[in-house]
Amino acid sequence: MCGRYASSRRPEDLVEAFGIERWEPAETLAPDYNVAPTKEVHVVLDRPLKDAQDPTPVRQLRVLKWGLVPSWAKNPEGAARMINARAESIHEKPSFKNPFMQRRCIIPADGYYEWVTGRDERELEVEGKRKRARKQPYFVLPADGSVFAMAGIYEFWRDRTLPDAHPAAWWVTCSVITTEAETAPLAGAGTEGPRSLAEIHPRMPLMLTPDRWDAWLDPRTTGVERLRGLLEPPPGGLLRAYPVSTAASSVRNNGPELLAELDAPELGTLW
């Protein structure tokens, strides 16, 4: 799954990486090393400019809220539960199928966090010496240091309690698409630690390689089978994972130190 990630790249860097044609400097977000559900996030999307007569999609860098609110929802209370959409069923689910067909995006990240319950912690839990096993966070990122382009969808929701002119009358929210975790060896995997992402967690955010960006973002790309073909996982071996401080487990903590690679997990033996 994807429940937390880091996004520290400057908008100028994202503009260059994705070929952004339009963005508003006033909407720039500060680097966030612990992005949690319901936060505002940078998103790349192709869409005609508002009030423009030319219907040609324009690549934009926008600020959206993470946690999708379906257009038909009575209120936004369920947003925190819709941070992920499964690639295998996205074309069928009422909350996701229309955005999948019409409103696709890329959510840029440095990488994402995932948690593992270590062997030592599980044994303490079984022995009754710990009520709740602690979990060791890992950070997963592209091995070459490039941007992690997470496939996403976005949706518009109208707050009917507010007048049309109110700045909060419209919500634009997004969800990260997830797929089965890779079983192929991680880049740089050694004899200790996880050998594949599947050993850390059974799900992972779907990373789009650059050759799929244009087709994925273009709202003129249609057809369920064509779109589902773009959800094929990337080749194995493009990602690496390493243990980070348990400070990353608290959303109150935020800073580049959360991404510091540890020589060994803090919570002892994991495998």
Side-chain angles (χ1 to χ4, degrees), residues 160-263:
R160 297 297 176 185
T161 66
L162 299 174
D164 290 341
H166 195 284
W170 284 96
W171 288 40
V172 191
T173 59
C174 62
S175 182
V176 174
I177 298 175
T178 66
T179 188
E180 289 187 358
E182 295 178 358
T183 57
L186 285 160
T191 56
E192 297 183 4
R195 292 175 294 276
S196 70
L197 287 177
E199 291 187 8
I200 300 175
H201 194 277
R203 305 289 297 178
M204 63 175 285
L206 177 66
M207 184 177 78
L208 294 173
T209 49
D211 59 301
R212 297 186 184 182
W213 291 355
D214 289 345
W216 175 255
L217 293 173
D218 193 342
R220 295 166 296 191
T221 302
T222 58
V224 172
E225 293 310 312
R226 167 75 173 120
L227 292 171
R228 293 190 70 193
L230 297 175
L231 296 178
E232 288 295 322
L238 298 180
L239 301 172
R240 63 181 294 252
Y242 60 81
V244 295
S245 169
T246 52
S249 300
S250 173
V251 296
R252 294 189 295 271
N253 298 323
N254 204 319
E257 67 278 3
L258 297 183
L259 304 187
E261 183 172 355
L262 302 182
D263 293 332

Side-chain angles (χ1 to χ4, degrees), residues 34 63 90 94 99 114-116 135 167 171-172 198 211-212 219 230:
N34 206 350
V63 173
I90 191 172
E114 197 54 82
W115 282 262
V116 177
K135 295 186 177 183
W171 288 40
V172 191
D211 59 301
R212 297 186 184 182
L230 297 175

